[in-house]
Amino acid sequence: MSESSSYVFTSESVTEGHPDKVCDQISDAILDAVLAKEIALAEQGYISPTGQPADPQAVRCACETLATTGLILVTGEIRTQAYVDVPAIVREVLLDIGYDRAKYGFDGTTCGVLNAIHEQSPDIAQGVDCSWEAQSGTDDDVYSKTGAGDQGMMFGYACNETPTLMPLPIFAAHRLAERLAYVRKQALIPYLRPDGKTQVSVRYVDGKPQSIETIVLSTQHAEEVTHQELEADVIEQVIKPVMDDLGFDITNTELFINPTGRFVVGGPMGDAGLTGRKIIVDTYGGMGRHGGGAFSGKDCTKVDRTGAYAARWVAKNVVAAGLADRCEVQIAYAIGVAHPVSLMVDTFGTNKVDEALIEQAVRHVFDLRPAALIEDLDLRRPIYRKTSNYGHFGRELPEFSWERTDRVDQLKSYIQQA
């Protein structure tokens, strides 16, 4: 797409009651519970009956969830010394979302919960516990002893369109979804139900966002409400406040509110849900590329998650340093190998200094081995359920260490001295 052209770009988000997001939250809540319990046991000096000490660094988790009418199935692979009550965690998440009665399409108190979790394969574990570098004797550095938990490529993206250096379409879609959940939980629109989706189309001119062309918002609702009432309330209580905060006049914006006219049946009753099926919602709304790996339910040795967080960290610092207006970073790993097999930096012609020099600066400033990233970003914490709604990126919360712009000065220094 030429920077000088005019075009419209669209991104979507979903609320926490969307069935796929229900599953993401359950998977991440189980991961958090395992981490919290393992940390607590380690502090107590716990030793298992088989002689294994509790150790947060030994936790491995790849938890997957499926939701359908009246049923949650939890599966995947977990290695831990900690017992966590999976059905209780599932029900707590469902009730917190707002699925607490059958007439909403799902009841966390009475639904069925099946637990089919088993232990991680030792073939996978051995390459993470002792990397190729350590086994071959090619690198005995402490950060080279932990191998990547899988092969694959991860992308990170940043641009200067919003204060958090996220693309405007996905940033706006997330804010609408957040507001939709807020007005429901605060009973500002009391007849809303948990399931919902948002979509924002932004017109770009010369590569810069100029206007909001279209907003699509679909929300589950009580049966008795009229479409006219819902449309008026959503525009007044959801769309206008968010667009005002973003500084956009929506007088000429086309609005579609529940365009089918009815959205009573929703959540897992209306559509089956799966962990990891909203990976574009989780990242950049399609503006940046995606390596294909989902995040939720995966511990920090899984580079699908940690590599993507690292790539965002790098890209955001490059843009925050003023080295480019847009930056995309790709990192690739081999399973069981600590060092990335490739690194690519693309600034789409917006770079202020030579792009090759930016890549050199990134290689110098950032250690992209998984063990180094886990330490630098403090990823062995029970922080992950909070990531599972409204985007893993662009929310500058204390837990979101990959959103820090703490390497700006080092990048600038390297560039100046080169």
Side-chain angles (χ1 to χ4, degrees), residues 256-381:
F256 293 98
I257 314 300
N258 280 21
T260 68
R262 177 182 168 89
F263 187 179
V264 174
V265 178
M269 184 176 178
D271 188 14
L274 290 169
T275 299
R277 203 160 58 176
K278 285 290 175 283
I279 58 176
I280 301 304
V281 170
D282 284 342
T283 53
Y284 308 101
M287 186 71 80
R289 285 174 283 193
H290 199 295
F295 303 155
S296 289
K298 295 178 181 177
D299 73 87
C300 56
T301 66
K302 309 294 191 295
V303 286
D304 278 340
R305 181 169 221 153
T306 296
Y309 288 0
R312 163 65 177 173
W313 185 37
V314 172
K316 187 172 183 180
N317 275 269
V318 168
V319 174
L323 304 180
D325 294 336
R326 297 168 58 201
C327 181
E328 185 176 73
V329 174
Q330 186 201 55
I331 311 169
Y333 293 91
I335 188 169
V337 180
H339 291 83
V341 299
S342 71
L343 169 69
M344 182 274 296
V345 175
D346 186 355
T347 58
F348 309 96
T350 68
N351 49 303
K352 313 305 180 184
V353 298
D354 185 72
E355 195 169 74
L357 183 58
I358 296 175
E359 185 173 310
Q360 291 173 24
V362 168
R363 291 181 182 276
H364 178 77
V365 170
F366 294 91
D367 189 339
L368 299 174
R369 291 173 293 178
L373 293 170
I374 290 168
E375 180 173 309
D376 287 342
L377 297 177
D378 194 12
L379 296 179
R380 281 199 176 92
R381 294 175 291 156

Side-chain angles (χ1 to χ4, degrees), residues 173-206:
H174 282 323
R175 302 295 77 78
L176 287 169
E178 279 183 318
R179 179 70 183 176
L180 193 56
Y182 176 82
V183 300
R184 171 177 61 86
K185 291 186 172 183
Q186 296 297 316
L188 298 177
I189 309 181
Y191 54 79
L192 294 186
R193 300 294 181 254
D195 198 356
K197 301 180 80 171
T198 65
Q199 185 172 288
V200 177
S201 302
V202 176
R203 179 166 295 280
Y204 286 76
V205 178
D206 296 331

Side-chain angles (χ1 to χ4, degrees), residues 4-169:
S4 63
S5 64
S6 173
Y7 58 91
V8 176
F9 193 92
T10 301
S11 296
E12 72 163 353
S13 181
V14 297
T15 66
E16 60 204 64
H18 186 282
D20 293 330
K21 274 292 150 206
V22 168
C23 294
D24 285 342
Q25 290 166 90
I26 290 170
S27 292
D28 273 336
I30 291 169
L31 168 60
D32 281 351
V34 168
L35 283 170
K37 186 70 173 291
E38 190 87 23
I39 290 168
L41 289 175
E43 290 172 349
Q44 297 165 16
Y46 173 81
I47 305 293
S48 76
T50 60
Q52 297 296 317
D55 179 8
Q57 296 192 47
V59 168
R60 301 290 182 267
C61 183
C63 182
E64 310 285 351
T65 304
L66 179 148
T68 188
T69 304
L71 177 67
I72 301 290
L73 169 64
V74 183
T75 185
E77 303 81 43
I78 297 180
R79 185 179 75 179
T80 180
Q81 300 299 320
Y83 168 80
V84 297
D85 189 341
V86 170
I89 295 168
V90 170
R91 297 186 192 284
E92 179 184 352
V93 171
L94 291 167
L95 295 174
D96 184 56
I97 291 168
Y99 285 121
D100 56 5
R101 59 194 68 185
K103 72 176 183 178
Y104 293 175
F106 212 81
D107 186 348
T109 304
T110 60
C111 70
V113 179
L114 297 180
N115 181 358
I117 293 171
H118 58 90
E119 192 168 358
Q120 184 189 47
S121 161
D123 294 347
I124 295 174
Q126 69 178 5
V128 180
D129 296 340
C130 185
S131 69
W132 174 84
E133 289 92 336
Q135 293 181 44
S136 63
T138 57
D139 187 347
D140 62 358
D141 183 86
V142 63
Y143 293 132
S144 293
K145 293 181 179 180
T146 301
D150 202 351
Q151 71 174 49
M153 66 284 189
M154 300 86 216
F155 288 93
Y157 183 84
C159 61
N160 58 9
E161 295 176 14
T162 60
T164 61
L165 305 185
M166 285 290 285
L168 178 61

